[in-house]
Each structure stands twice: as C-alpha cells, then as structure tokens.
Amino acid sequence: MASQSGGLPVHQAIARMLLANDVHTVFGLMGDANMFMIDYFIRECGGTFVAAAHEAGAATMALGFAASSGRIGVCSVTHGPAMVNTITAMAHGVKASLPMVVICGDTDTEDRYHTQNIAQREFAIAAGAGFEQLRSPRTVAEDVATAIRRAVAERRPIALNVPLEFDWRDADGFEPVKVKFPEARALVSSSDDIDNAVGIIAAAKRPIVVAGRGATSAEARNSILKLAERIEAPLATTLKGKDLFQGEAFNLGIFGTVSSPAAVDAIVESDCILAFGSSLNTKTVSAGSFLKGKRSIQVNLEPAEIAKNFRADVGLVGDPAQVADLIVHWLDEAEIPPSGFRSEELRDRLAQPEPLNPMDNGDGTVDYMRSLVELDRILPANRLIVTDVGRFMLKVWTTVHVDHPSAFVSTSDFGSIGLGMSHAIGAAFGAPDRPAVLFCGDGGFMHGGLAEFNTAVRHNADVIVVVCNDGCYGAEQVKFHYKNMDFGTIRFDWPDFVSTAVALGGEGVRVQSEADWSIAEQAIRARTKPLLIDVRFNPTRLPLF
C-alpha cells in the first residue's frame, strides 16, 4: 500500500533499510506505532519476526542473537510502556558491549496528553544506550543507517525513535543505503612499546598467556598458541574467551575469580601476564590480586580497552594475531630462550581431577557437581551454552564446555536474573545450526523464563532449559548462611516446572536421582520441542560460591 501521497511510506522504507543491511530477523512486540513496519517486513521483505511475550524479552532476544551470531540484533517495540520495558535489556547490552538497534515507535508529537506519552530519549540515555531520532520522512535512510553504524561502532544498543505520525507519510526520495564498516587490522610496528614488551617477556621466568573474546578468531588462536609454546607459557582465557584452548596442553582454563585451585596456584606463582583481546576487568584479575607483583602486557585492537580497568606495564594496540607473530619474530631474532614454566610437575597438577561426591544425596536431590559433569557428557556436542544469573552459574562456567567461545553466552554483565531464557531464544536464531542450552535457577526461570518459554515453543526454537532447582534464591541463601540467619524467607514452593513446560507446549523431565539421568539423556536425543530439565538440588549442599 502506498503512502497518502502515492510514494513509499516511512514504515516500508524502514523495513527496506533493514533488509538492505542484511537484517532478516527482528524480535519484538507489535503495537500501533510499529505494527505496519513489522507486517511489511514479514510479507514483502521475507523477514522473520519473533513475537515475544514481553518487550523485555524481545530486546533481550535481540542481544542473544547478537552474542551468538556476531551480527547486529534488532528489536522493534511500540511507544511508551513498551519502550520502557526494554530498559533492563539496554542496560545489559551496554555493559556486555553488544550491538543492538531498538526501533521504538513514539507517540504522535501533537498528542501531548496521550496516555502512553513519555520522554523516551531520557530512558535510553539513563540506561547508557545511544539515541537517534528519525528526524523526518525524507531522512529515513540516513537516520536508520546512522543507528546501525553507531550500534556496531560503539558496541552498544541504540534506540531509534520513530514518531507515529511519520508512519504513512511519503519517504520522499528514499533509496536504501547499506552501511559499510572498515576492516580493523592495526599492526604494532617497531616502537618503544614493542621493544619493552619483548624485553619483559625475555626476562620472565613464569609467564602466562591469556586470551579474551577479542582474540578468539582462528588466526588469533593459532598465533597465540605459537607464542605460548615459544615461551613455554601456560594458557588461560577470560570468561568470555571460555574454552578457546580446551584440550591443549597446559591449559589453565578460566583466568579469574572462578579459576580452579590448580590454576590459581599457577597464577600466583607467575611473574608475567600477557593478555590478548581482554579488557582485564576486575573479575578477570581478581580485583587486582592476580596482577600483584607481576609485569603485564595488554594487547587489544580496541584502543579504549587498553588500561580501561587496570594499567598494564605495556599496552599494545593492534591485531592480536599479528602482534603475537611479531613478538615471536623478535624473540627469535634475539635468540631468547624459553621460560621453562611448562614443567611436568605443572602438567600433573593441572591434570589432577577434583574429587566428586556420590550422585544421590538420599533426600530426593542430586549432587550439583556430579550433575554438571553428567550434563557436560549428555548434552549435544555442538551446543550453545547460555547462563542466567545465580549461584549455580559459576561451576557451570568451569564444568560445562563449548567447542568455541562464540558458543558461550553469559547474561551476568548487568547482574540481573531472568534474562537467560530470552537470550537463549535469540541465540538459537543467531546460530540456527546449534541447540541453545540454557542453565538457569528456579528463581530466574520464574522471573523471566516462564514468560518466554512459550515463545520458544511458538517459534520452534531448538532450546533446552536446565533449571537448577534448589527451591530458593541461592545467592541470598549464601548471605543468610554467612550471617547464621534462617533463610526460610527466600525459599519458595514453586509450581511443578515439568508439567508447566508441557502446559506451555514444550516437553519436560525431572532429575532427582541417578537413575533419572538416563531418562534425561533420552529426552535430549528424542526432543521435538523446547525441552525443560528440572534438576533438583539441596540448597544446603551446593557450593557457596
């Protein structure tokens, strides 16, 4: 349908801009300020629209899509309360550095007393997101392109505000524009910084090489492996670089507050940290204690990440692969011997498994760590792992593995529970060849998962939900424990999650004894719908943290 003047209406121009920029999936909820754009995007542009149960879920799905696909996530909502409902997701997206455009309808400018009228810009800015106003029907292409460019360049959500009165106006002279981004391939050439870095590495007796999410490409991984082998340094990753070196010799696993005891010992012994593609945040360096008494070198393609959290002795702005190759070149030129830190004694320490308890607790619950080991075994090998927030997540990070960091999505950046289900749905659309496995607590599932489980059913998303069910809010239970207080006020008699999952259109099984794991394994293999696995734990027998 044409605009009132016979040309292309604004809502159609917006849809065509999305298509021109390879956006084929939009998450959202329809309302009077966005329904015509979504309808056109589906019918005429061949796009996929994932209709969430709530705007908070829709925006979080777009973040999950961005996290698993490496592309921009797009969410569309109507005005007023719908836009406000996306704020938690926007704040999380800012902290997680995820590119997302939230296309927000806005109340007709002339309708001052409209019930849903609110200052939408202020809400977006308060969340830390960027804000772009669709200025006029003539500037649709430029304004949408600017929102997309900013989301990618700034690595955060951008709210694009579209006044309702523009919807059916003629986008005069509209031509779709594809946003182009330059390839970032900075290389550190000869400089004092590279000389200092090589000097620090040459003097190190116990160096450790750490890789973050910014150094997870195949090229970067290979170059970092060569460097670590050249200097005989153990390997580690940040949380978001999880499992990049899985299966490699002298792999310490995650470097940070969740490091294994053997890894912590090696980190404490080390005298040099060489970090690639990491911002070295406070959790990675254990509030600075893991850098104390050590020389440090930070390599990152993003200049803003250098010294963002802790100041390294040397900061190198450059492509991680090329910088690693350059360091190896100069070490070879100077005939620097390896450190010798990769000893047989260290290898044996790292290979020593942590002792496990029996599976059955004898009270209708199962052992937490044994359960995670079993889940690591029976879940699909090509899985995506998504973790909600809660006490349960820390051991999931270190025990349940993925084949590449891009297959791991943490929702902990803002510390909000309940974002996992929506992230998992978005991640399933972002990487449709992989099943998305969500680990969440019982409180987190009730907080946000319950509302969107049926969304996964309606859209046939390949999602497996593991509910770590201890019948309480676990993090609060820990704090009550430390204060010797009764934690009965944070215990809950939740509904039966298995029958709830079935009622919502999915499948469900319960695990509360060792014999139940074979049933769960069969359910995983035979699933035809979103599957919920309710694993029962005793809250007093879980690791405190």
Side-chain angles (χ1 to χ4, degrees):
M1 184 182 296
S3 70
Q4 294 170 352
S5 61
L8 187 72
V10 165
H11 70 268
Q12 295 182 11
I14 294 172
R16 290 194 184 184
M17 273 297 296
L18 296 178
L19 187 64
N21 284 278
D22 299 321
V23 174
H24 301 284
T25 303
V26 172
F27 304 87
L29 243 69
M30 284 195 191
D32 58 345
N34 71 335
M35 60 186 182
F36 299 115
M37 186 278 287
I38 292 171
D39 177 72
Y40 185 83
F41 178 73
I42 298 168
R43 286 190 300 104
E44 301 297 331
C45 298
T48 297
F49 177 64
V50 181
H54 192 276
E55 291 89 1
T60 313
M61 289 174 200
L63 293 175
F65 179 92
S68 69
S69 69
R71 306 193 302 275
I72 189 170
V74 176
C75 171
S76 174
V77 298
T78 190
H79 54 140
M83 186 272 176
V84 173
N85 283 340
T86 69
I87 298 306
T88 298
M90 282 205 232
H92 172 83
V94 170
K95 292 178 178 288
S97 299
L98 290 171
M100 173 174 70
V101 172
V102 181
I103 303 174
C104 314
D106 198 5
T107 309
D108 192 320
T109 308
E110 294 180 354
D111 196 351
R112 177 180 297 176
Y113 300 110
H114 192 290
T115 303
Q116 294 178 311
N117 189 25
I118 198 167
Q120 297 190 166
R121 178 183 182 277
E122 281 67 22
F123 278 91
I125 297 300
F131 183 86
E132 281 293 327
Q133 181 69 43
L134 186 65
R135 295 167 294 161
S136 77
R138 294 189 304 275
T139 62
V140 173
E142 182 181 347
D143 295 340
V144 176
T146 297
I148 292 172
R149 178 188 58 77
R150 287 188 61 193
V152 174
E154 298 171 22
R155 293 191 302 171
R156 62 170 175 160
I158 304 293
L160 175 63
N161 212 53
V162 182
L164 179 58
E165 67 262 31
F166 288 172
D167 233 15
W168 288 95
R169 292 188 187 176
D170 188 354
D172 189 33
F174 172 78
E175 290 290 340
V177 174
K178 182 173 177 60
V179 182
K180 295 183 179 180
F181 300 94
E183 184 180 7
R185 296 288 289 172
L187 172 64
V188 177
S189 58
S190 298
S191 66
D192 289 342
D193 284 336
I194 194 69
D195 291 345
N196 290 338
V198 172
I200 289 172
I201 295 169
K205 301 300 182 185
R206 296 175 300 280
I208 293 177
V209 174
V210 181
R213 197 60 171 263
T216 58
S217 69
E219 184 181 13
R221 180 182 184 276
N222 289 337
S223 294
I224 291 169
L225 282 172
K226 291 176 183 176
L227 171 60
E229 185 176 358
R230 170 65 177 78
I231 63 177
E232 294 188 356
L235 294 153
T237 71
T238 65
L239 174 63
K240 292 192 176 182
K242 171 180 159 58
D243 291 332
L244 181 66
F245 303 125
Q246 185 70 11
E248 295 291 334
F250 298 99
N251 175 27
L252 302 179
I254 296 174
F255 187 104
T257 52
V258 297
S259 294
S260 69
V264 170
D265 288 343
I267 293 167
V268 171
E269 292 170 14
S270 68
D271 60 3
C272 175
I273 305 298
L274 177 52
F276 290 86
S278 167
S279 64
L280 293 177
N281 67 42
T282 184
K283 297 294 192 298
T284 298
V285 300
S286 191
S289 64
F290 282 177
L291 295 181
K292 190 173 295 184
K294 302 172 178 57
R295 308 298 299 277
S296 57
I297 301 163
Q298 187 180 12
V299 181
N300 206 297
L301 188 58
E302 301 290 338
E305 298 299 308
I306 301 290
K308 179 179 179 179
N309 298 295
F310 290 91
R311 187 173 64 187
D313 292 288
V314 176
L316 300 174
V317 178
D319 176 81
Q322 294 189 37
V323 173
D325 290 341
L326 186 62
I327 290 172
V328 170
H329 167 77
W330 287 117
L331 290 172
D332 288 344
E333 284 288 307
E335 298 182 350
I336 302 298
S339 68
F341 194 24
R342 289 190 174 192
S343 65
E344 289 300 318
E345 188 270 336
L346 177 58
R347 186 197 298 270
D348 291 343
R349 270 194 286 156
L350 295 176
Q352 189 69 28
E354 293 187 41
L356 295 174
N357 297 319
M359 178 65 80
D360 286 340
N361 286 329
D363 58 358
T365 66
V366 289
D367 181 73
Y368 174 65
M369 286 303 300
R370 281 287 301 274
S371 296
L372 294 184
V373 170
E374 187 67 10
L375 283 161
D376 186 53
R377 182 185 71 81
I378 68 176
L379 286 168
N382 66 329
R383 60 200 176 226
L384 288 162
I385 295 295
V386 180
T387 58
D388 205 300
V389 170
R391 169 172 56 169
F392 67 89
M393 68 186 179
L394 303 179
K395 293 299 184 180
V396 173
W397 292 345
T398 58
T399 308
V400 183
H401 299 289
V402 292
D403 58 17
H404 188 269
S406 62
F408 170 68
V409 180
S410 166
T411 70
S412 62
D413 294 85
F414 192 30
S416 172
I417 69 169
L419 304 184
M421 186 76 230
S422 300
H423 267 88
I425 294 170
F429 278 90
D433 57 331
R434 294 174 177 266
V437 180
L438 167 65
F439 283 82
C440 67
D442 46 295
F445 183 74
M446 289 296 294
H447 193 270
L450 188 64
E452 300 299 350
F453 186 84
N454 179 254
T455 302
V457 172
R458 285 186 286 108
H459 291 279
N460 198 31
D462 191 1
V463 174
I464 301 169
V465 180
V466 179
V467 179
C468 300
N469 186 356
D470 62 0
C472 70
Y473 283 120
E476 285 68 29
Q477 187 263 334
V478 169
K479 294 170 186 176
F480 276 41
H481 170 85
Y482 283 136
K483 295 290 186 181
N484 294 314
M485 295 171 60
D486 178 11
F487 61 90
T489 53
I490 47 88
R491 298 197 74 161
F492 294 90
D493 185 14
W494 301 119
D496 185 308
F497 289 137
V498 173
S499 59
T500 300
V502 173
L504 290 170
E507 301 169 349
V509 295
R510 179 176 298 106
V511 174
Q512 57 188 54
S513 71
E514 185 164 15
D516 293 334
W517 282 114
S518 61
I519 300 172
E521 183 174 9
Q522 176 60 28
I524 291 169
R525 292 178 178 175
R527 71 191 187 283
T528 59
K529 304 174 182 178
L531 169 67
L532 183 145
I533 305 174
D534 178 21
V535 189
R536 296 296 180 90
F537 298 120
N538 184 327
T540 64
R541 302 186 68 166
L542 267 71
L544 293 179
F545 273 120

